[in-house]
Amino acid sequence: GSGNGRWAATACVVTGASRGFGRSLARLLAARLGPGSLLVLLARSAEPLAGLADELRAHPGAGPRVLGVAADLGCEHGLRRATAALREVLPAEPFGRLVLVNNAGSLGDVSKSFLDLTDPDEINTYFAFNVTSALCLTSTALQAFGKRPGSGRTVVNISSLCALKPFKSWALYCSGKASRDMMFQVLALEEPDVRVLNYAPGPLDTDMQLLARTETGDPEMRQYFQSLQESRKLIDCTVSAQKLVKLLEEDTFQSGAHVDFYDI
């Protein structure tokens, strides 16, 4: 059930919710959100998204209303569908709290080095999904929710060590993550009453890690990711998602801070 009253009447939005970290987080949040709450799940893949939404609705007890929105945030049409859904549902009820988790993201073609990245369409498509959509969704959600007396607003960016540190073959991913961290730091400065967190979940045992260790062009990097898996250093999504939920419940992080799984 919902532990403390803090999660009562909360509007919660999670992007990239159909698999990996997003799915684990959605499950944890659904168990914590009390009556009068809304959980909005955004993802590209309609079928796994519908399956997850059904699973979360089947929870015993008074959980949140679950809304699945299938939209490809990387294309303009999909992003418009997602923002339209938020404009419709967020102002509709007297929620006491907004929690938005920008989790959706992609690795890019890591078989390519910097010098291979010559096609502007490929690069623009990458940034449209990984940077533009996070900015548009967040600004739209905050606008739609508005400033309500006594209500709290929290925005989470799922970040990465790659936001701080360069890695060979990962020019797109590293620069996308760095952009997002900085973007949300600016939000934290501009909107002091919005709580902003850049959370790096650590090396997760996901499809993205599978890509990292099989597709990465740079051989040393590829070997590094293989060794992470072989030495069982990959983190279970639920374990990392639990740390994020704890951070949100304690609510003591400095707004705009970059907090890593291993810092906690």
Side-chain angles (χ1 to χ4, degrees):
S2 64
N4 48 29
R6 140 171 298 176
W7 294 83
T10 298
C12 213
V13 182
V14 180
T15 70
S18 67
R19 55 192 191 146
F21 185 79
R23 183 173 58 190
S24 297
L25 183 63
R27 285 180 172 139
L28 290 177
L29 291 171
R32 268 177 180 71
L33 291 166
S37 293
L38 169 68
L39 179 57
V40 182
L41 306 174
L42 284 158
R44 216 172 357 188
S45 323
E47 257 177 78
L49 182 65
L52 176 65
D54 287 344
E55 174 203 317
L56 298 182
R57 286 184 194 112
H59 264 288
R65 190 160 70 87
V66 180
L67 174 67
V69 180
D72 180 352
L73 299 176
C75 75
E76 209 174 316
H77 172 73
L79 183 53
R80 283 189 200 285
R81 181 188 306 168
T83 53
L86 295 186
R87 280 202 189 95
E88 190 183 329
V89 298
L90 291 181
E93 287 172 56
F95 300 113
R97 191 179 187 205
L98 171 69
V99 179
L100 168 61
V101 183
N102 290 285
N103 165 67
S106 64
L107 200 49
D109 186 347
V110 290
S111 71
K112 292 183 171 171
S113 69
F114 186 108
L115 298 187
D116 296 325
L117 293 167
T118 53
D119 176 12
D121 286 342
E122 177 183 3
I123 298 163
N124 288 336
T125 299
Y126 184 82
F127 284 107
F129 176 42
N130 288 280
V131 180
T132 307
S133 79
L135 175 50
C136 291
L137 272 180
T138 303
S139 55
T140 300
L142 290 171
Q143 269 190 18
F145 192 81
K147 290 191 179 189
R148 305 179 184 192
S151 75
R153 298 180 293 168
T154 301
V155 174
V156 181
N157 167 39
I158 299 305
S159 184
S160 170
L161 174 60
C162 296
L164 312 177
K165 193 178 175 216
F167 289 97
K168 288 179 181 173
S169 300
W170 286 32
L172 290 178
Y173 188 78
C174 289
S175 50
K177 287 297 189 191
S179 306
R180 279 168 62 141
D181 261 39
M182 182 52 78
M183 193 164 83
F184 286 103
Q185 286 179 54
V186 172
L187 172 63
L189 272 186
E190 284 187 18
E191 300 288 337
D193 62 337
V194 175
R195 304 280 289 134
V196 181
L197 174 64
N198 289 308
Y199 175 66
L204 301 172
D205 193 3
T206 59
D207 294 343
M208 197 181 271
Q209 272 292 328
L210 175 64
L211 278 177
R213 63 179 177 267
T214 54
E215 305 283 323
T216 298
D218 181 73
E220 276 172 66
M221 274 288 284
R222 202 166 56 240
Q223 183 53 54
Y224 166 71
F225 289 116
Q226 284 165 359
S227 71
L228 277 183
Q229 191 211 16
E230 284 157 13
S231 57
R232 311 224 162 152
K233 296 252 170 65
L234 293 179
I235 299 158
D236 181 86
C237 285
T238 304
V239 173
S240 187
Q242 277 166 337
K243 276 202 181 177
L244 173 55
V245 169
K246 192 165 175 266
L247 277 172
L248 295 177
E249 284 184 338
E250 290 170 355
D251 205 24
T252 55
F253 56 86
Q254 189 188 342
S255 193
H258 177 100
V259 180
D260 192 280
F261 173 86
Y262 291 114
D263 297 341
I264 309 160

